[in-house]
Amino acid sequence: MLIKFSVKNFRGFTDRIEWDLSCPSNYSFNTYAIKDDVIKNGIIYGPNGSGKTNFSEALFDIVYHMTQKYKKVEYFQNYVYAGDTRLNVIFEYTFKFDNQLIEYVYSKNASGALVDELLKVNGATIFKRIGGVLDLDENQFPINKDAKRNLEMNANSISIVNYLLTSYPLAGDHYLIRMRDFVNSMLWFRCLKTNEYIGFDNVVTILDEYIIKNKLIQDFSDFLFNVSGQKFIFDLEKSTDKQLFWKVGGGSLYFDSTISTGTQSLHLLYYWLKNLNYASFVFIDEFDAFYHYKLAFEVCKQLFNLNCQVFTSSHNTYLMTNDLLRPDCNFILQNNKIKPLQACTDKELRFGHNMEKLFRGGAFEV
């Protein structure tokens, strides 16, 4: 699980901003949102321009760094804080796998090239490459002098982690394998004007084709009705191998081009829900941009029922309720800081408190 992340000098984050998921409070309700003493589910709120999207994309830099999964082409545009593009962007990740804590820190320049790198396991340094000098625990990873010299020079910006993963036979439960598998299974997505995603997969899927091919038409219809109350009866005779049609009176309409933007978003969500059994960490940016507030609540219940870590960003304060999550799982991002609700007030927060009312009343200060 991911238990901590921080970034500095990325786009608008000139100061270091840290997100700590390792210190849940002792609330006795909605315990499904906590797993192995780590926050498993949460929602990030913040005013427009506070950096919610940029923060979530920074979190997924490690996917660009370690995998060949799908990536956004324009990601490296305006990569470094515009006030001083000579700075390096510094990323810090802490993962927890059973009794192992893995701290992975690296920095990149304005073009996205790797500069420095550090890896610790349970506090012990496995390697660090700082300023062109490589210090490697050769008891674990013996390498010859020529290889070490080339890694120190780093002319092609190769990652030490990726080098070790490809150069040494490792056991299936080795910490590097577990970190690689976790990162390979991370997913970021959103549905605004277009569907966008980072990680998890490396192909573009036609949603209708996926539903038809896997004989999920009725299941998809049931899903739409259960979460949104919309009743779609699909025309099986007119539907092709790649397009769904639904019945309207005595006629039929092409599904994807005649539905609302909210239903289009549900169309995408359905696909991902069917494919997230093996996900490790999911972030949905502005997941409810086109949802009715009650629909957003129902969607959250489905998302948080997944076994993996799932987080979203939202402006919908209807979701800021103890009927869905807890104060330690609702975060506010503002002024280059991100904090859970209970850390934003001196007031003791209990199940009976109306979090939305307190938030709108200005009770929380980041």
Side-chain angles (χ1 to χ4, degrees), residues 52 59 76 82 103 133 176 190 200 204 224 226 229 259 267 277 279 286 290 307-308 334 336:
K52 297 185 295 300
L59 175 60
F76 287 104
E103 300 171 65
V133 177
L176 287 180
R190 68 178 174 185
F200 192 74
V204 176
L224 291 173
N226 291 334
I259 55 176
H267 195 192
N277 289 331
E286 299 184 66
F290 304 114
N307 191 48
C308 60
Q334 193 171 5
N336 212 102

Side-chain angles (χ1 to χ4, degrees), residues 356-364:
E356 181 183 23
K357 184 176 180 180
L358 289 171
F359 177 77
R360 289 176 176 267
F364 303 114

Side-chain angles (χ1 to χ4, degrees), residues 277-346:
N277 289 331
Y278 301 104
S280 57
F281 186 100
V282 178
F283 193 99
I284 311 175
D285 187 36
E286 299 184 66
F287 88 104
D288 57 345
F290 304 114
Y291 292 169
H292 183 272
Y293 66 95
K294 290 184 178 179
L295 170 58
F297 187 93
E298 293 302 317
V299 168
C300 275
K301 289 200 297 184
Q302 294 221 11
L303 289 170
F304 298 156
N305 193 45
L306 296 170
N307 191 48
C308 60
Q309 287 180 279
V310 180
F311 296 88
T312 73
S313 62
S314 178
H315 292 286
N316 180 6
T317 56
Y318 178 80
L319 302 175
M320 193 181 286
T321 169
N322 290 332
D323 291 329
L324 180 64
L325 285 172
R326 312 150 27 132
D328 53 348
C329 298
N330 286 299
F331 298 87
I332 301 174
L333 194 161
Q334 193 171 5
N335 301 326
N336 212 102
K337 298 177 183 177
I338 181 169
K339 292 183 179 181
L341 292 185
Q342 88 277 3
C344 298
T345 179
D346 294 329

Side-chain angles (χ1 to χ4, degrees), residues 72-133:
K72 295 175 67 176
V73 175
E74 73 279 8
Y75 173 70
F76 287 104
Q77 294 177 5
N78 304 315
Y79 187 65
V80 175
Y81 171 62
D84 189 349
T85 56
R86 298 168 298 175
L87 298 171
N88 293 325
V89 187
I90 303 171
F91 300 91
E92 302 176 48
Y93 298 83
T94 303
F95 301 98
K96 179 182 179 183
F97 303 120
D98 296 328
N99 62 344
Q100 290 182 317
L101 284 181
I102 301 175
E103 300 171 65
Y104 185 39
V105 182
Y106 61 86
S107 63
K108 293 182 178 179
N109 61 24
S111 64
L114 186 65
V115 179
D116 297 324
E117 200 174 5
L118 167 71
L119 181 74
K120 291 184 178 182
V121 177
N122 292 335
T125 299
I126 305 302
F127 71 79
K128 62 179 178 181
R129 181 178 57 198
I130 308 294
V133 177

Side-chain angles (χ1 to χ4, degrees), residues 247-263:
K247 295 181 179 180
V248 181
S252 298
L253 293 174
Y254 174 40
F255 178 73
D256 194 51
S257 65
T258 58
I259 55 176
S260 69
T261 50
T263 305

Side-chain angles (χ1 to χ4, degrees), residues 80-209:
V80 175
Y81 171 62
D84 189 349
T85 56
R86 298 168 298 175
L87 298 171
N88 293 325
V89 187
I90 303 171
F91 300 91
E92 302 176 48
Y93 298 83
T94 303
F95 301 98
K96 179 182 179 183
F97 303 120
D98 296 328
N99 62 344
Q100 290 182 317
L101 284 181
I102 301 175
E103 300 171 65
Y104 185 39
V105 182
Y106 61 86
S107 63
K108 293 182 178 179
N109 61 24
S111 64
L114 186 65
V115 179
D116 297 324
E117 200 174 5
L118 167 71
L119 181 74
K120 291 184 178 182
V121 177
N122 292 335
T125 299
I126 305 302
F127 71 79
K128 62 179 178 181
R129 181 178 57 198
I130 308 294
V133 177
L134 174 61
D135 181 11
L136 176 68
D137 185 347
E138 296 188 18
N139 291 322
Q140 292 197 44
F141 300 102
I143 61 174
N144 62 50
K145 292 182 179 180
D146 289 339
K148 183 176 181 180
R149 187 182 309 111
N150 290 337
L151 286 170
E152 285 178 333
M153 293 173 63
N154 198 29
N156 58 348
S157 301
I158 188 171
S159 161
I160 303 295
V161 162
N162 289 336
Y163 172 81
L164 296 176
L165 280 166
T166 56
S167 301
Y168 285 87
L170 303 172
D173 61 349
H174 192 277
Y175 54 82
L176 287 180
I177 297 292
R178 299 189 73 173
M179 183 171 75
R180 181 203 65 188
D181 290 347
F182 186 95
V183 174
N184 264 321
S185 301
M186 292 174 65
L187 170 68
W188 177 102
F189 74 93
R190 68 178 174 185
C191 178
L192 295 178
K193 293 181 180 179
T194 59
N195 298 339
E196 298 177 277
Y197 76 97
I198 301 169
F200 192 74
D201 206 344
N202 50 19
V203 297
V204 176
T205 301
I206 299 173
L207 302 181
D208 282 5
E209 183 179 7

Side-chain angles (χ1 to χ4, degrees), residues 7-25:
V7 66
K8 181 180 180 180
N9 300 329
F10 180 81
R11 296 182 184 167
F13 296 109
T14 179
D15 298 320
R16 182 177 182 272
I17 178 172
E18 179 181 277
W19 191 25
D20 191 351
L21 304 174
S22 67
C23 299
S25 297

